[in-house]
Amino acid sequence: RKPDTTGRTDGRDPRLGQNPVGVTPPLVTSHQQSYTNSSVELLKFLLTAEEVIDGRRINVAGHRPAMKETMEDSDFNNLPLSQDTFHDLWNNVFLSTENESLAHTDGILNQNLDFWENPETMQETINVPTAPTVPAISNYAGQHEFNLEFNDSGTAKSVTSTFSNKLGKLFCQLAKTTPIGILVKEEPPQGAVIRATAVYKKTEHVAEVVKRCPHHQSEDPSDNKSHLIRVEGSQLAQYFEDPNTKRQSVTVPYERPQLGSQTTTILLSFMCNSSCMGGMNRRPILTILTLETTEGEVLGRRCFEVRVCACPGRDRKTEEGNVEKNGAKQPKKRKSAPAPDTSSGKKSKSASSGEEEDKDVYSLTIRGRNRYLWFKSLNDGLELMDKVGPKVKQEIPAPSSGKRLLKGGSDSD
């Protein structure tokens, strides 16, 4: 420490402020001083910097008035080294990126001008296909020969899903996985998807949207709790709701069949019973599976009826039995009125000739002796009535009054 030459007698050095003698102030390094100067100069530059774009001077600070509007480019030469380096960085990087953004905006402006000059051409490019109001339910194989395959699970009571080829109907349990095979002859274009949509079968309900009942929705914490059809085993499944028709659907990307297989399997589950109140409410539904491109073009379509119940095997067996019974009754009705046989030489009978019909003899097969005796006694009585002839009822004159009839009966007694 140099000797005190200021003439102070209190032992304090004025260069050290209020520090007592012998206490050295904290030293400021050259790096800290350079950093502080650079920060101050950078702040000043950002507040006063100006940028030239398209021949116009635009203040970068914006909300603060320009402090040095007449600042010349030569003044940058007198700035510290750190500020001069930032200036070069500003000119080389920022202005180049700004020019590229301006060129991009010019392209957007040109597209907008093209839209106002030729609106019809622009509408063709931005047109997106929308879902139909009433989806088609007819089968369409298309050029890829799109088809479905179901597992033959039988009619046992333990099965969770079974498909009836006679009825074209799927029987499955609530929230149980149902495998469906996707079969195509030609591979669809890249990015094709399989879409599953549920609609009501009857025409009086086809306009309504198929959704889950409020009870099952309240128990489901997922985001897609209102969707009836779910895709299991795939994280790429996407759920949609059309903004116009409010119909819900789910899509899953089409996958190529594995080696040694001809089909691709997707797993569907139905999240509500067919008998749920507030939902399907015993109304039959159809499930539509379509093969679509990324633009929404339909390449193939298959449709089948679905019944969600507690015992699929039992219900399938019952419905198939009912169809067989109804089909067996129809030919019996036709045989009850056979065509007349002209080869036997019998004359055709007219409906008006009642006497000739009474003379015909018919045979009746009766099972059980007691029943046969009962019919035989009835037939004998009818034969006796025909021989005797109908009895003529004697007309008894009605009494003039009821009192006289009673009085006459009392006198006779």
Side-chain angles (χ1 to χ4, degrees), residues 366-404:
I366 300 174
R367 182 176 299 174
R369 180 171 180 79
N370 294 332
R371 189 176 301 178
Y372 166 74
L373 294 176
W374 186 83
F375 276 98
K376 183 177 181 301
S377 61
L378 178 62
N379 186 41
D380 293 342
L382 294 176
E383 291 289 345
L384 181 60
M385 184 184 297
D386 292 339
K387 293 179 179 179
V388 174
K391 295 181 179 180
V392 178
K393 295 183 180 181
Q394 299 179 358
E395 296 182 359
I396 302 175
S400 59
S401 62
K403 292 182 180 181
R404 295 180 181 179

Side-chain angles (χ1 to χ4, degrees), residues 117-222:
E117 292 177 358
N118 300 319
E120 297 180 355
T121 58
M122 292 297 294
Q123 289 179 359
E124 294 178 357
T125 58
I126 64 177
N127 186 17
V128 179
T130 58
T133 304
V134 179
I137 59 175
S138 59
N139 293 327
Y140 171 67
Q143 63 179 0
H144 300 279
E145 295 187 8
F146 178 67
N147 202 354
L148 304 178
E149 287 188 359
F150 295 88
N151 295 334
D152 188 8
S153 303
T155 57
K157 294 183 178 180
S158 60
V159 298
T160 58
S161 65
T162 178
F163 184 80
S164 174
N165 293 320
K166 295 180 180 179
L167 306 175
K169 189 173 183 178
L170 174 66
F171 299 84
C172 62
Q173 291 182 350
L174 170 66
K176 297 297 183 179
T177 303
T178 301
I180 301 177
I182 306 299
L183 179 63
V184 293
K185 185 176 181 180
E186 297 180 4
E187 184 177 354
Q190 187 177 4
V193 297
I194 305 296
R195 183 183 300 273
T197 310
V199 296
Y200 285 110
K201 181 179 180 180
K202 295 185 178 180
T203 55
E204 57 266 27
H205 306 139
V206 72
E208 300 182 26
V209 179
V210 181
K211 290 186 178 181
R212 299 179 70 189
C213 67
H215 172 68
H216 285 109
Q217 290 190 35
S218 61
E219 296 180 348
D220 193 349
S222 63

